[in-house]
Amino acid sequence: MTVVSPFYDKKTQCLSCKHSFSTTRIRSRFVKVVGYDSDFCPLYDSKVVNPLLYNVSVCPMCGFSFTDDFTAYIPPVLKEDLEKKISLHWQPQDYGKLRSYDDGINTYKLAAYCALIKKEKKVTIAGLYLRTAWLYRKTGEKEQERRFINLATHEYIDAYLTDGVSGSLMSETKLLYIIAELLRRQDKIEESVVYLSKVISKQHLSTEPKIVEMARESWYEIRDRYKEAKSL
């Protein structure tokens, strides 16, 4: 009887240099989500079979790193920037096999740097920072987790104020909520309440009642905490 591995090789092509290479992915039937943190970080029943580790494809030839959220086209002037800032300094290495948590973190940092140079949407860049924070959470590195939560927050706020959610899979409801939650995790309570209020005030326009309810619960929790603090 053949034993099927959770892992398989996926053929892909570098968006920058067009080199074809293989990268590891996880078969969906082996992925078991047992819950989510309040910032949507998925909790898997296995530390090894974790799709977060394999979201980023890293070209072993030129170092360009990307996810499925990246746009395929790279303008010539930005391709020149990528070559100068990444490819010329790249020491050929292969992230296409099984990855440790350190490997996973490195691939997200590479992808975030590439996304900044390529001028990807701010929502995409924020997502890379947030997933980096999630992996640091798994490894217990709280200071680094907080650092990348802060980076993600700034990008999400910029996205809300400029790009909005056009062209992304994220709704405005979710964007406002995630900003509020990340601010709360940095103890920026008053700023968090501003964004929670936006979610609640726009609930009649939302098709995501679960997220609206999460925002309301968070708002009530903050309010009750303030009441307790005042009564002391």
Side-chain angles (χ1 to χ4, degrees):
M1 182 177 175
T2 304
V3 177
V4 179
S5 169
F7 306 97
Y8 70 96
D9 290 332
K10 179 186 175 184
K11 293 284 186 184
T12 191
Q13 186 180 57
C14 177
L15 299 180
S16 183
C17 74
K18 304 305 180 185
H19 173 69
S20 294
F21 62 98
S22 293
T23 189
T24 297
R25 290 288 186 268
I26 297 179
R27 292 185 171 89
S28 58
R29 70 177 182 271
F30 288 92
V31 177
K32 295 180 181 176
V33 180
V34 296
Y36 293 90
D37 286 338
S38 55
D39 61 354
F40 303 116
C41 176
L43 307 174
Y44 300 106
D45 73 338
S46 168
K47 191 171 182 181
V48 177
V49 184
N50 185 340
L52 282 174
L53 297 172
Y54 300 96
N55 275 339
V56 179
S57 298
V58 180
C59 177
M61 188 67 68
C62 74
F64 184 75
S65 306
F66 56 98
T67 68
D68 292 342
D69 295 326
F70 279 46
T71 55
Y73 177 66
I74 306 177
V77 65
L78 296 183
K79 189 171 283 193
E80 286 180 21
D81 270 356
L82 287 166
E83 289 173 0
K84 288 176 186 174
K85 295 175 180 177
I86 296 173
S87 304
L88 287 177
H89 309 283
W90 179 250
Q91 299 294 323
Q93 51 193 305
D94 188 4
Y95 280 101
K97 306 303 181 187
L98 296 184
R99 293 176 182 171
S100 65
Y101 276 76
D102 284 344
D103 290 335
I105 287 166
N106 287 340
T107 65
Y108 279 108
K109 288 179 178 179
L110 284 167
Y113 186 45
C114 290
L116 287 167
I117 297 170
K118 187 178 175 294
K119 302 188 187 303
E120 282 291 340
K121 286 184 176 294
K122 294 181 183 300
V123 166
T124 300
I125 297 168
L128 295 168
Y129 286 144
L130 182 56
R131 283 159 180 77
T132 308
W134 289 349
L135 291 184
Y136 274 124
R137 186 178 305 165
K138 303 292 186 189
T139 60
E141 296 175 77
K142 294 185 182 300
E143 190 174 322
Q144 288 296 332
E145 178 192 347
R146 192 178 179 95
R147 176 188 165 212
F148 278 90
I149 281 178
N150 181 52
L151 289 169
T153 306
H154 284 295
E155 292 295 333
Y156 278 130
I157 290 174
D158 281 351
Y160 175 67
L161 296 175
T162 56
D163 298 347
V165 291
S166 61
S168 81
L169 297 175
M170 181 178 284
S171 67
E172 185 178 15
T173 300
K174 189 170 184 178
L175 176 58
L176 290 168
Y177 171 80
I178 197 66
I179 292 170
E181 173 58 21
L182 297 183
L183 287 167
R184 186 190 68 80
R185 284 174 174 265
Q186 297 170 82
D187 300 317
K188 298 176 180 178
I189 304 304
E190 290 182 7
E191 293 174 61
S192 176
V193 168
V194 170
Y195 284 93
L196 290 173
S197 299
K198 289 180 187 291
V199 176
I200 296 166
S201 68
K202 295 184 178 188
Q203 61 184 299
H204 61 289
L205 300 173
S206 176
T207 57
E208 297 171 300
K210 176 63 177 173
I211 295 178
V212 173
E213 185 58 30
M214 290 169 69
R216 191 181 287 112
E217 288 174 3
S218 186
W219 190 88
Y220 286 143
E221 183 183 326
I222 291 169
R223 184 193 64 179
D224 292 344
R225 197 183 306 161
Y226 265 82
K227 282 183 179 178
E228 287 177 12
K230 283 184 177 180
S231 65
L232 293 176

